[in-house]
Amino acid sequence: MGFARACSVALVGVDGVVVEVQADLELGVAAFTLVGLPDKTLIESRDRVRAAVVNSGAAWPQKKLTVGLSPASVPKSGAGFDLAVAAAVLGAAEVVDPAAIADLVLIGELGLDGRVRPVRGILPAVLAAAEAGYRQVVVPRQCAAEAALVPDVSVLGVRSLRQLIAVLTDGVVPAEEPGDPPGRPDPMLAGLLVPGAGLGTGLAPGRPDGDGTDFPDLADVTGQHTARRALEVAAAGGHHLFLSGPPGAGKTMLAERLPWLLPPLTRQDSVEVTAVHSVAGILPPGEPLVSRPPYCAPHHSATMQSLVGGGTGVPRPGAVSLAHRGVLFLDEAAEFHSRALDALRQPLESGHVVIARAAGVVRLPARFLMVLAANPCPCGRHTLHGAGCECPPSVIRRYQARLSGPLLDRVDLRVEVEPVTRSDLLGRGGRGESTAVVADRVREARERAGARLAGTAWRLNSEVPGQELRTRWQPAPGALAQAERELERGLLTARGLDRVLRVAWTVADLRGRDRPEALDVAVALELRTGIARGAMSVPGAGT
């Protein structure tokens, strides 16, 4: 008889629970029993582990074998437990020292030939192990760089079970097996990508090269001075943006350039974003840490589950989580299903989404900057003079009503994108500012806001509660007079007044002022209501 234990991690969303894998050998008919609430994939590990152990040169114990996964009440799924199960079985059979694996956290899938295959969710799994006090982890070699992002944890990357046995028994580590010919994709990386997700989904369009110029440049957008200023305000304060205008005016071009106006992610934000992308199976191989704000632009046929997360079994991250600390762009927003759009209202306020399913309740991060883009009517020519829009008024009202009032009330900036004029298109007005120039102003504005909000739970103006802005950080005397009149007339809600004040603080930060003045509030009102008041035409008002 023999007994041994090792550890692995069960993921529920992006949170991990350390699981103790116990192996017990007893006299009796040779059998392999796996208990502890495993799913179908984990039950199949019995055959994978047996074949991997035999093909690694170790003898399979011909006794009654019971493997338990504790705590038994936590659902366990995936093939990431294979390596821990194999180590526990070898420890119980005294092939390796049971004491050597008792405090090891092992994560990885086993092939029938004994090779260790990479799995998704390595980063959140190692984070959970570190929080539980474990300091030694064994992962597939392809995932070692991702696991090494967790500080104070010793990471061992192995390519095969044979290598792991040699390390645990102080034997001669076998030489690396020859890899695939150069130029061919590594089949071992197939487990890191979810079929249909697409490589790079959720990352900003364009990748900076050596000279940092291979990305969408804001200077490529002709005209649209008001929309460009709104884009800058959105980036500086984290304010949600609604772009309405006819087809071909540049709404998509503006949205695609927004991620590059945002500063690079901090270390903590990078780890959060990388953890979500690792669980979702869209983390690009060779890039263990996402350093740029992500960009997610789902098609308008997306379901509510694909936007907020869900699916069968344990819920998986949706578009709002893939855009965490980045940009969620909903092009043709009026074509989305109304239930899917209204499901965004909770994460827009809270910065996270809680999904309850029969398999468990998952809390996923969802602090994103949302950009909506829509045409004014089904044909898109409603706002164009002499363009021949034939949409009846009732059809236009129904089309615009697809974006509900409660959803739009959570959008700080609303901009009418005008058609590009001939002079702008021919370049007679000159090129606009580049992404690098505007990004520098955004960075300086965020630094001012960060210094003001130091020591609080908020980092951006869009996150500060209105009560704090009205009492702790007050604008200049009389600055809110016009906004208060709009509230009394019913043109603003209480939430709308708070959001106007938040935008006013961002405009003041961009202008280098200590607190908002009447002009800053007027600019915020114009951006909030979409009604031209002349404030944006004042030199320097929007920057």
Tab-separated table of all heavy atoms in Angstrom, residues 6-11 16-19 21 77-87 104-110 115-130 134 136-144 146-147 150 153-160 164 192 278:
chain	number	residue	atom	x	y	z
A	6	ALA	N	-0.168	15.532	-4.301
A	6	ALA	CA	0.398	16.689	-4.991
A	6	ALA	C	-0.708	17.726	-5.096
A	6	ALA	O	-1.826	17.508	-4.615
A	6	ALA	CB	0.935	16.294	-6.364
A	7	CYS	N	-0.417	18.837	-5.701
A	7	CYS	CA	-1.406	19.919	-5.777
A	7	CYS	C	-1.536	20.407	-7.205
A	7	CYS	O	-0.598	20.350	-8.004
A	7	CYS	CB	-1.016	21.086	-4.863
A	7	CYS	SG	-1.030	20.690	-3.111
A	8	SER	N	-2.721	20.900	-7.517
A	8	SER	CA	-2.990	21.560	-8.779
A	8	SER	C	-3.985	22.686	-8.501
A	8	SER	O	-4.261	22.991	-7.329
A	8	SER	CB	-3.523	20.561	-9.818
A	8	SER	OG	-3.541	21.155	-11.103
A	9	VAL	N	-4.520	23.296	-9.534
A	9	VAL	CA	-5.417	24.445	-9.358
A	9	VAL	C	-6.636	24.266	-10.248
A	9	VAL	O	-6.512	23.937	-11.440
A	9	VAL	CB	-4.709	25.773	-9.703
A	9	VAL	CG1	-5.677	26.951	-9.552
A	9	VAL	CG2	-3.494	25.971	-8.818
A	10	ALA	N	-7.811	24.489	-9.669
A	10	ALA	CA	-9.060	24.510	-10.426
A	10	ALA	C	-9.465	25.959	-10.645
A	10	ALA	O	-9.485	26.752	-9.701
A	10	ALA	CB	-10.160	23.764	-9.668
A	11	LEU	N	-9.775	26.307	-11.886
A	11	LEU	CA	-10.156	27.671	-12.237
A	11	LEU	C	-11.666	27.783	-12.334
A	11	LEU	O	-12.332	26.960	-12.971
A	11	LEU	CB	-9.529	28.086	-13.570
A	11	LEU	CG	-8.022	28.362	-13.572
A	11	LEU	CD1	-7.555	28.691	-14.977
A	11	LEU	CD2	-7.687	29.502	-12.624
A	16	GLY	N	-8.817	31.122	-9.003
A	16	GLY	CA	-8.342	29.754	-8.846
A	16	GLY	C	-8.486	29.237	-7.432
A	16	GLY	O	-8.454	30.006	-6.467
A	17	VAL	N	-8.658	27.934	-7.315
A	17	VAL	CA	-8.733	27.240	-6.020
A	17	VAL	C	-7.708	26.110	-6.046
A	17	VAL	O	-7.713	25.274	-6.968
A	17	VAL	CB	-10.139	26.672	-5.761
A	17	VAL	CG1	-10.171	25.932	-4.434
A	17	VAL	CG2	-11.184	27.777	-5.783
A	18	VAL	N	-6.821	26.080	-5.072
A	18	VAL	CA	-5.817	25.021	-4.999
A	18	VAL	C	-6.500	23.701	-4.661
A	18	VAL	O	-7.291	23.622	-3.711
A	18	VAL	CB	-4.731	25.354	-3.958
A	18	VAL	CG1	-3.749	24.192	-3.817
A	18	VAL	CG2	-3.991	26.620	-4.364
A	19	VAL	N	-6.218	22.690	-5.444
A	19	VAL	CA	-6.816	21.366	-5.285
A	19	VAL	C	-5.726	20.383	-4.895
A	19	VAL	O	-4.659	20.338	-5.528
A	19	VAL	CB	-7.510	20.911	-6.582
A	19	VAL	CG1	-7.978	19.465	-6.467
A	19	VAL	CG2	-8.678	21.832	-6.907
A	21	VAL	N	-4.408	16.738	-4.893
A	21	VAL	CA	-4.589	15.496	-5.653
A	21	VAL	C	-3.972	14.368	-4.833
A	21	VAL	O	-2.750	14.317	-4.659
A	21	VAL	CB	-3.932	15.602	-7.035
A	21	VAL	CG1	-4.139	14.314	-7.823
A	21	VAL	CG2	-4.483	16.787	-7.813
A	77	SER	N	-12.509	20.965	-14.001
A	77	SER	CA	-12.640	20.716	-15.430
A	77	SER	C	-11.296	20.905	-16.107
A	77	SER	O	-10.381	21.536	-15.568
A	77	SER	CB	-13.666	21.677	-16.048
A	77	SER	OG	-13.260	23.021	-15.872
A	78	GLY	N	-11.182	20.330	-17.286
A	78	GLY	CA	-9.980	20.516	-18.087
A	78	GLY	C	-8.939	19.451	-17.861
A	78	GLY	O	-9.009	18.644	-16.928
A	79	ALA	N	-7.934	19.462	-18.740
A	79	ALA	CA	-6.860	18.474	-18.695
A	79	ALA	C	-5.654	18.967	-17.921
A	79	ALA	O	-4.632	18.285	-17.893
A	79	ALA	CB	-6.441	18.108	-20.118
A	80	GLY	N	-5.745	20.111	-17.275
A	80	GLY	CA	-4.599	20.656	-16.551
A	80	GLY	C	-4.215	19.895	-15.311
A	80	GLY	O	-3.152	20.150	-14.717
A	81	PHE	N	-5.045	18.924	-14.873
A	81	PHE	CA	-4.733	18.128	-13.683
A	81	PHE	C	-3.892	16.901	-14.010
A	81	PHE	O	-3.458	16.189	-13.097
A	81	PHE	CB	-6.027	17.669	-12.995
A	81	PHE	CG	-6.826	18.782	-12.389
A	81	PHE	CD1	-7.759	19.475	-13.128
A	81	PHE	CD2	-6.645	19.152	-11.063
A	81	PHE	CE1	-8.502	20.502	-12.571
A	81	PHE	CE2	-7.375	20.179	-10.498
A	81	PHE	CZ	-8.309	20.860	-11.255
A	82	ASP	N	-3.657	16.617	-15.294
A	82	ASP	CA	-2.964	15.377	-15.672
A	82	ASP	C	-1.610	15.255	-14.995
A	82	ASP	O	-1.255	14.189	-14.463
A	82	ASP	CB	-2.774	15.335	-17.193
A	82	ASP	CG	-4.073	15.100	-17.937
A	82	ASP	OD1	-5.117	14.989	-17.271
A	82	ASP	OD2	-4.045	15.046	-19.178
A	83	LEU	N	-0.825	16.318	-15.023
A	83	LEU	CA	0.529	16.254	-14.486
A	83	LEU	C	0.523	15.987	-12.985
A	83	LEU	O	1.339	15.203	-12.471
A	83	LEU	CB	1.266	17.557	-14.800
A	83	LEU	CG	2.798	17.538	-14.692
A	83	LEU	CD1	3.378	16.487	-15.618
A	83	LEU	CD2	3.369	18.910	-15.019
A	84	ALA	N	-0.418	16.621	-12.249
A	84	ALA	CA	-0.504	16.388	-10.805
A	84	ALA	C	-0.969	14.969	-10.503
A	84	ALA	O	-0.478	14.326	-9.554
A	84	ALA	CB	-1.450	17.409	-10.175
A	85	VAL	N	-1.910	14.450	-11.297
A	85	VAL	CA	-2.379	13.075	-11.090
A	85	VAL	C	-1.240	12.090	-11.330
A	85	VAL	O	-1.028	11.143	-10.546
A	85	VAL	CB	-3.572	12.775	-12.017
A	85	VAL	CG1	-3.931	11.290	-11.964
A	85	VAL	CG2	-4.779	13.619	-11.621
A	86	ALA	N	-0.468	12.294	-12.388
A	86	ALA	CA	0.644	11.391	-12.679
A	86	ALA	C	1.688	11.446	-11.579
A	86	ALA	O	2.216	10.392	-11.149
A	86	ALA	CB	1.279	11.767	-14.025
A	87	ALA	N	1.989	12.638	-11.072
A	87	ALA	CA	2.984	12.754	-9.998
A	87	ALA	C	2.496	12.068	-8.729
A	87	ALA	O	3.287	11.393	-8.031
A	87	ALA	CB	3.287	14.227	-9.730
A	104	LEU	N	4.368	20.617	-4.132
A	104	LEU	CA	4.480	21.068	-5.514
A	104	LEU	C	3.103	21.324	-6.102
A	104	LEU	O	2.157	20.556	-5.867
A	104	LEU	CB	5.193	20.021	-6.368
A	104	LEU	CG	6.729	20.022	-6.411
A	104	LEU	CD1	7.205	18.962	-7.391
A	104	LEU	CD2	7.263	21.382	-6.809
A	105	VAL	N	2.970	22.388	-6.866
A	105	VAL	CA	1.763	22.653	-7.647
A	105	VAL	C	2.098	22.327	-9.093
A	105	VAL	O	2.984	22.945	-9.688
A	105	VAL	CB	1.311	24.111	-7.500
A	105	VAL	CG1	0.123	24.397	-8.405
A	105	VAL	CG2	0.950	24.412	-6.048
A	106	LEU	N	1.408	21.344	-9.648
A	106	LEU	CA	1.702	20.880	-10.996
A	106	LEU	C	0.496	21.145	-11.894
A	106	LEU	O	-0.642	20.784	-11.549
A	106	LEU	CB	2.039	19.391	-11.005
A	106	LEU	CG	3.233	18.969	-10.127
A	106	LEU	CD1	2.734	18.337	-8.829
A	106	LEU	CD2	4.142	18.000	-10.866
A	107	ILE	N	0.740	21.781	-13.035
A	107	ILE	CA	-0.323	22.140	-13.972
A	107	ILE	C	0.134	21.768	-15.366
A	107	ILE	O	1.216	22.178	-15.805
A	107	ILE	CB	-0.637	23.646	-13.916
A	107	ILE	CG1	-0.919	24.089	-12.480
A	107	ILE	CG2	-1.813	23.992	-14.820
A	107	ILE	CD1	-0.927	25.596	-12.303
A	108	GLY	N	-0.640	20.962	-16.069
A	108	GLY	CA	-0.283	20.611	-17.431
A	108	GLY	C	-1.048	19.396	-17.910
A	108	GLY	O	-1.471	18.548	-17.119
A	109	GLU	N	-1.228	19.313	-19.209
A	109	GLU	CA	-1.880	18.174	-19.840
A	109	GLU	C	-0.825	17.192	-20.335
A	109	GLU	O	0.262	17.613	-20.764
A	109	GLU	CB	-2.740	18.645	-21.018
A	109	GLU	CG	-3.403	17.513	-21.788
A	109	GLU	CD	-4.138	18.006	-23.017
A	109	GLU	OE1	-4.307	19.241	-23.154
A	109	GLU	OE2	-4.531	17.162	-23.849
A	110	LEU	N	-1.134	15.910	-20.266
A	110	LEU	CA	-0.208	14.871	-20.715
A	110	LEU	C	-0.688	14.270	-22.022
A	110	LEU	O	-1.875	13.920	-22.162
A	110	LEU	CB	-0.074	13.772	-19.664
A	110	LEU	CG	0.770	14.091	-18.429
A	110	LEU	CD1	0.703	12.947	-17.436
A	110	LEU	CD2	2.213	14.398	-18.813
A	115	ARG	N	4.595	13.538	-23.347
A	115	ARG	CA	4.924	14.953	-23.451
A	115	ARG	C	3.914	15.793	-22.678
A	115	ARG	O	2.722	15.436	-22.602
A	115	ARG	CB	4.961	15.391	-24.920
A	115	ARG	CG	6.132	14.836	-25.695
A	115	ARG	CD	6.223	15.471	-27.075
A	115	ARG	NE	5.041	15.171	-27.893
A	115	ARG	CZ	4.825	15.706	-29.100
A	115	ARG	NH1	5.698	16.561	-29.607
A	115	ARG	NH2	3.741	15.377	-29.777
A	116	VAL	N	4.392	16.889	-22.121
A	116	VAL	CA	3.537	17.790	-21.345
A	116	VAL	C	3.060	18.899	-22.272
A	116	VAL	O	3.860	19.657	-22.829
A	116	VAL	CB	4.302	18.392	-20.142
A	116	VAL	CG1	3.400	19.311	-19.350
A	116	VAL	CG2	4.837	17.267	-19.254
A	117	ARG	N	1.760	18.985	-22.417
A	117	ARG	CA	1.166	19.955	-23.325
A	117	ARG	C	0.688	21.186	-22.550
A	117	ARG	O	0.206	21.063	-21.414
A	117	ARG	CB	-0.008	19.338	-24.085
A	117	ARG	CG	0.356	18.082	-24.862
A	117	ARG	CD	-0.848	17.512	-25.576
A	117	ARG	NE	-1.330	18.443	-26.591
A	117	ARG	CZ	-0.946	18.423	-27.863
A	117	ARG	NH1	-0.049	17.533	-28.261
A	117	ARG	NH2	-1.427	19.277	-28.726
A	118	PRO	N	0.799	22.387	-23.125
A	118	PRO	CA	0.363	23.604	-22.426
A	118	PRO	C	-1.157	23.672	-22.317
A	118	PRO	O	-1.888	23.084	-23.126
A	118	PRO	CB	0.907	24.732	-23.308
A	118	PRO	CG	1.041	24.126	-24.665
A	118	PRO	CD	1.397	22.692	-24.444
A	119	VAL	N	-1.622	24.371	-21.308
A	119	VAL	CA	-3.048	24.565	-21.074
A	119	VAL	C	-3.316	26.051	-20.875
A	119	VAL	O	-2.406	26.841	-20.620
A	119	VAL	CB	-3.534	23.766	-19.844
A	119	VAL	CG1	-3.437	22.276	-20.094
A	119	VAL	CG2	-2.752	24.158	-18.603
A	120	ARG	N	-4.573	26.426	-20.956
A	120	ARG	CA	-4.960	27.815	-20.751
A	120	ARG	C	-5.069	28.127	-19.260
A	120	ARG	O	-5.258	27.244	-18.433
A	120	ARG	CB	-6.307	28.098	-21.432
A	120	ARG	CG	-6.290	27.853	-22.929
A	120	ARG	CD	-7.591	28.318	-23.567
A	120	ARG	NE	-8.757	27.639	-23.032
A	120	ARG	CZ	-9.259	26.529	-23.524
A	120	ARG	NH1	-8.690	25.956	-24.562
A	120	ARG	NH2	-10.328	25.970	-22.990
A	121	GLY	N	-4.957	29.412	-18.940
A	121	GLY	CA	-5.164	29.852	-17.567
A	121	GLY	C	-3.992	29.640	-16.640
A	121	GLY	O	-4.178	29.572	-15.420
A	122	ILE	N	-2.775	29.555	-17.170
A	122	ILE	CA	-1.610	29.323	-16.322
A	122	ILE	C	-1.406	30.483	-15.348
A	122	ILE	O	-1.162	30.282	-14.148
A	122	ILE	CB	-0.348	29.112	-17.183
A	122	ILE	CG1	-0.392	27.736	-17.860
A	122	ILE	CG2	0.922	29.226	-16.333
A	122	ILE	CD1	-0.268	26.572	-16.910
A	123	LEU	N	-1.496	31.714	-15.823
A	123	LEU	CA	-1.238	32.869	-14.963
A	123	LEU	C	-2.207	32.953	-13.789
A	123	LEU	O	-1.770	33.063	-12.639
A	123	LEU	CB	-1.262	34.159	-15.782
A	123	LEU	CG	-1.036	35.451	-14.995
A	123	LEU	CD1	0.296	35.416	-14.260
A	123	LEU	CD2	-1.087	36.662	-15.916
A	124	PRO	N	-3.533	32.932	-13.992
A	124	PRO	CA	-4.414	32.964	-12.820
A	124	PRO	C	-4.253	31.758	-11.912
A	124	PRO	O	-4.441	31.865	-10.696
A	124	PRO	CB	-5.824	33.032	-13.428
A	124	PRO	CG	-5.669	32.553	-14.822
A	124	PRO	CD	-4.300	32.953	-15.247
A	125	ALA	N	-3.879	30.606	-12.476
A	125	ALA	CA	-3.669	29.420	-11.643
A	125	ALA	C	-2.453	29.596	-10.737
A	125	ALA	O	-2.500	29.291	-9.533
A	125	ALA	CB	-3.503	28.182	-12.525
A	126	VAL	N	-1.349	30.108	-11.287
A	126	VAL	CA	-0.152	30.318	-10.472
A	126	VAL	C	-0.392	31.444	-9.453
A	126	VAL	O	0.106	31.394	-8.320
A	126	VAL	CB	1.052	30.625	-11.377
A	126	VAL	CG1	2.296	30.919	-10.549
A	126	VAL	CG2	1.322	29.443	-12.301
A	127	LEU	N	-1.158	32.466	-9.832
A	127	LEU	CA	-1.514	33.525	-8.879
A	127	LEU	C	-2.281	32.952	-7.694
A	127	LEU	O	-2.030	33.311	-6.531
A	127	LEU	CB	-2.347	34.597	-9.579
A	127	LEU	CG	-1.602	35.596	-10.462
A	127	LEU	CD1	-2.590	36.442	-11.258
A	127	LEU	CD2	-0.707	36.491	-9.610
A	128	ALA	N	-3.226	32.052	-7.964
A	128	ALA	CA	-3.986	31.428	-6.879
A	128	ALA	C	-3.083	30.580	-5.993
A	128	ALA	O	-3.225	30.571	-4.765
A	128	ALA	CB	-5.109	30.575	-7.465
A	129	ALA	N	-2.130	29.864	-6.602
A	129	ALA	CA	-1.200	29.058	-5.813
A	129	ALA	C	-0.321	29.938	-4.933
A	129	ALA	O	-0.066	29.611	-3.763
A	129	ALA	CB	-0.346	28.199	-6.735
A	130	ALA	N	0.146	31.063	-5.479
A	130	ALA	CA	0.985	31.964	-4.689
A	130	ALA	C	0.206	32.574	-3.530
A	130	ALA	O	0.732	32.716	-2.416
A	130	ALA	CB	1.551	33.061	-5.594
A	134	TYR	N	1.938	28.648	-1.735
A	134	TYR	CA	2.839	27.722	-2.436
A	134	TYR	C	3.895	28.517	-3.203
A	134	TYR	O	3.613	29.563	-3.781
A	134	TYR	CB	2.051	26.819	-3.385
A	134	TYR	CG	1.136	25.858	-2.662
A	134	TYR	CD1	-0.152	26.228	-2.318
A	134	TYR	CD2	1.580	24.592	-2.315
A	134	TYR	CE1	-1.000	25.356	-1.652
A	134	TYR	CE2	0.743	23.703	-1.643
A	134	TYR	CZ	-0.543	24.095	-1.309
A	134	TYR	OH	-1.379	23.228	-0.633
A	136	GLN	N	6.484	26.726	-5.221
A	136	GLN	CA	7.091	25.934	-6.284
A	136	GLN	C	5.997	25.398	-7.197
A	136	GLN	O	5.058	24.743	-6.724
A	136	GLN	CB	7.905	24.762	-5.709
A	136	GLN	CG	9.164	25.180	-4.957
A	136	GLN	CD	9.931	23.983	-4.447
A	136	GLN	OE1	9.369	23.056	-3.863
A	136	GLN	NE2	11.246	23.980	-4.665
A	137	VAL	N	6.124	25.689	-8.488
A	137	VAL	CA	5.137	25.217	-9.453
A	137	VAL	C	5.862	24.562	-10.615
A	137	VAL	O	6.999	24.923	-10.960
A	137	VAL	CB	4.251	26.370	-9.966
A	137	VAL	CG1	3.449	26.988	-8.838
A	137	VAL	CG2	5.080	27.430	-10.677
A	138	VAL	N	5.207	23.588	-11.212
A	138	VAL	CA	5.697	22.907	-12.406
A	138	VAL	C	4.645	23.098	-13.494
A	138	VAL	O	3.472	22.780	-13.296
A	138	VAL	CB	5.933	21.406	-12.147
A	138	VAL	CG1	6.420	20.715	-13.416
A	138	VAL	CG2	6.919	21.208	-11.011
A	139	VAL	N	5.080	23.625	-14.629
A	139	VAL	CA	4.171	23.930	-15.726
A	139	VAL	C	4.798	23.449	-17.024
A	139	VAL	O	5.995	23.131	-17.079
A	139	VAL	CB	3.896	25.456	-15.805
A	139	VAL	CG1	3.214	25.953	-14.536
A	139	VAL	CG2	5.181	26.237	-16.078
A	140	PRO	N	4.040	23.381	-18.106
A	140	PRO	CA	4.634	23.070	-19.415
A	140	PRO	C	5.681	24.106	-19.788
A	140	PRO	O	5.561	25.285	-19.435
A	140	PRO	CB	3.431	23.104	-20.365
A	140	PRO	CG	2.242	22.842	-19.491
A	140	PRO	CD	2.565	23.449	-18.170
A	141	ARG	N	6.686	23.681	-20.502
A	141	ARG	CA	7.778	24.596	-20.819
A	141	ARG	C	7.294	25.800	-21.611
A	141	ARG	O	7.790	26.914	-21.447
A	141	ARG	CB	8.853	23.860	-21.624
A	141	ARG	CG	10.167	24.622	-21.700
A	141	ARG	CD	11.131	23.975	-22.664
A	141	ARG	NE	10.622	24.023	-24.039
A	141	ARG	CZ	11.326	23.638	-25.110
A	141	ARG	NH1	12.537	23.146	-24.944
A	141	ARG	NH2	10.807	23.704	-26.321
A	142	GLN	N	6.309	25.601	-22.497
A	142	GLN	CA	5.808	26.711	-23.301
A	142	GLN	C	5.108	27.770	-22.457
A	142	GLN	O	4.931	28.896	-22.910
A	142	GLN	CB	4.833	26.197	-24.375
A	142	GLN	CG	5.475	25.291	-25.415
A	142	GLN	CD	5.447	23.836	-24.999
A	142	GLN	OE1	5.336	23.526	-23.813
A	142	GLN	NE2	5.543	22.944	-25.972
A	143	CYS	N	4.689	27.427	-21.246
A	143	CYS	CA	3.970	28.368	-20.378
A	143	CYS	C	4.841	28.897	-19.246
A	143	CYS	O	4.335	29.607	-18.369
A	143	CYS	CB	2.738	27.690	-19.783
A	143	CYS	SG	1.557	27.066	-20.989
A	144	ALA	N	6.118	28.551	-19.233
A	144	ALA	CA	6.979	28.952	-18.119
A	144	ALA	C	7.117	30.470	-18.031
A	144	ALA	O	7.142	31.035	-16.932
A	144	ALA	CB	8.356	28.302	-18.263
A	146	GLU	N	4.939	32.726	-18.874
A	146	GLU	CA	3.690	33.266	-18.315
A	146	GLU	C	3.631	33.038	-16.811
A	146	GLU	O	3.245	33.932	-16.048
A	146	GLU	CB	2.500	32.606	-19.013
A	146	GLU	CG	1.145	33.121	-18.540
A	146	GLU	CD	-0.012	32.420	-19.235
A	146	GLU	OE1	0.234	31.727	-20.242
A	146	GLU	OE2	-1.150	32.560	-18.763
A	147	ALA	N	4.015	31.852	-16.352
A	147	ALA	CA	3.994	31.572	-14.918
A	147	ALA	C	5.014	32.405	-14.170
A	147	ALA	O	4.801	32.767	-13.004
A	147	ALA	CB	4.253	30.083	-14.677
A	150	VAL	N	4.485	35.834	-12.012
A	150	VAL	CA	4.093	35.895	-10.598
A	150	VAL	C	5.354	35.971	-9.758
A	150	VAL	O	6.216	35.089	-9.837
A	150	VAL	CB	3.252	34.666	-10.218
A	150	VAL	CG1	2.797	34.761	-8.759
A	150	VAL	CG2	2.047	34.541	-11.138
A	153	VAL	N	7.779	33.112	-6.844
A	153	VAL	CA	7.389	31.736	-7.133
A	153	VAL	C	8.463	31.114	-8.018
A	153	VAL	O	8.851	31.689	-9.044
A	153	VAL	CB	6.014	31.655	-7.827
A	153	VAL	CG1	5.720	30.227	-8.278
A	153	VAL	CG2	4.914	32.140	-6.890
A	154	SER	N	8.950	29.931	-7.620
A	154	SER	CA	9.936	29.203	-8.408
A	154	SER	C	9.204	28.364	-9.457
A	154	SER	O	8.336	27.553	-9.118
A	154	SER	CB	10.785	28.304	-7.502
A	154	SER	OG	11.674	27.521	-8.265
A	155	VAL	N	9.546	28.571	-10.719
A	155	VAL	CA	8.838	27.929	-11.832
A	155	VAL	C	9.775	26.937	-12.507
A	155	VAL	O	10.910	27.268	-12.863
A	155	VAL	CB	8.346	28.971	-12.847
A	155	VAL	CG1	7.657	28.282	-14.018
A	155	VAL	CG2	7.400	29.958	-12.177
A	156	LEU	N	9.290	25.711	-12.691
A	156	LEU	CA	10.009	24.688	-13.437
A	156	LEU	C	9.192	24.349	-14.676
A	156	LEU	O	8.059	23.866	-14.560
A	156	LEU	CB	10.225	23.438	-12.588
A	156	LEU	CG	10.815	22.221	-13.315
A	156	LEU	CD1	12.210	22.535	-13.851
A	156	LEU	CD2	10.842	20.993	-12.405
A	157	GLY	N	9.742	24.617	-15.845
A	157	GLY	CA	9.081	24.269	-17.092
A	157	GLY	C	9.610	22.960	-17.626
A	157	GLY	O	10.818	22.803	-17.812
A	158	VAL	N	8.728	22.009	-17.850
A	158	VAL	CA	9.125	20.684	-18.329
A	158	VAL	C	8.455	20.413	-19.666
A	158	VAL	O	7.351	20.894	-19.935
A	158	VAL	CB	8.756	19.579	-17.318
A	158	VAL	CG1	9.536	19.750	-16.027
A	158	VAL	CG2	7.261	19.576	-17.023
A	159	ARG	N	9.157	19.626	-20.466
A	159	ARG	CA	8.619	19.268	-21.782
A	159	ARG	C	7.985	17.887	-21.780
A	159	ARG	O	7.122	17.591	-22.607
A	159	ARG	CB	9.731	19.330	-22.823
A	159	ARG	CG	9.262	19.146	-24.252
A	159	ARG	CD	10.404	19.277	-25.245
A	159	ARG	NE	9.941	19.080	-26.609
A	159	ARG	CZ	9.476	20.042	-27.389
A	159	ARG	NH1	9.419	21.278	-26.922
A	159	ARG	NH2	9.075	19.797	-28.627
A	160	SER	N	8.383	17.034	-20.833
A	160	SER	CA	7.850	15.675	-20.814
A	160	SER	C	7.803	15.172	-19.379
A	160	SER	O	8.467	15.702	-18.482
A	160	SER	CB	8.713	14.730	-21.669
A	160	SER	OG	10.017	14.622	-21.112
A	164	LEU	N	10.393	15.351	-15.798
A	164	LEU	CA	9.953	15.603	-14.426
A	164	LEU	C	10.399	14.485	-13.490
A	164	LEU	O	10.871	14.744	-12.370
A	164	LEU	CB	8.429	15.751	-14.382
A	164	LEU	CG	7.821	15.969	-12.998
A	164	LEU	CD1	8.351	17.252	-12.365
A	164	LEU	CD2	6.296	16.003	-13.071
A	192	LEU	N	-3.569	26.172	-26.296
A	192	LEU	CA	-3.645	27.522	-25.746
A	192	LEU	C	-4.714	28.366	-26.414
A	192	LEU	O	-5.073	29.423	-25.894
A	192	LEU	CB	-2.290	28.226	-25.910
A	192	LEU	CG	-1.117	27.621	-25.131
A	192	LEU	CD1	0.151	28.394	-25.435
A	192	LEU	CD2	-1.402	27.632	-23.639
A	278	SER	N	-5.628	34.709	-20.957
A	278	SER	CA	-5.122	33.344	-20.837
A	278	SER	C	-6.270	32.369	-20.624
A	278	SER	O	-6.306	31.296	-21.241
A	278	SER	CB	-4.121	33.255	-19.688
A	278	SER	OG	-3.641	31.940	-19.527
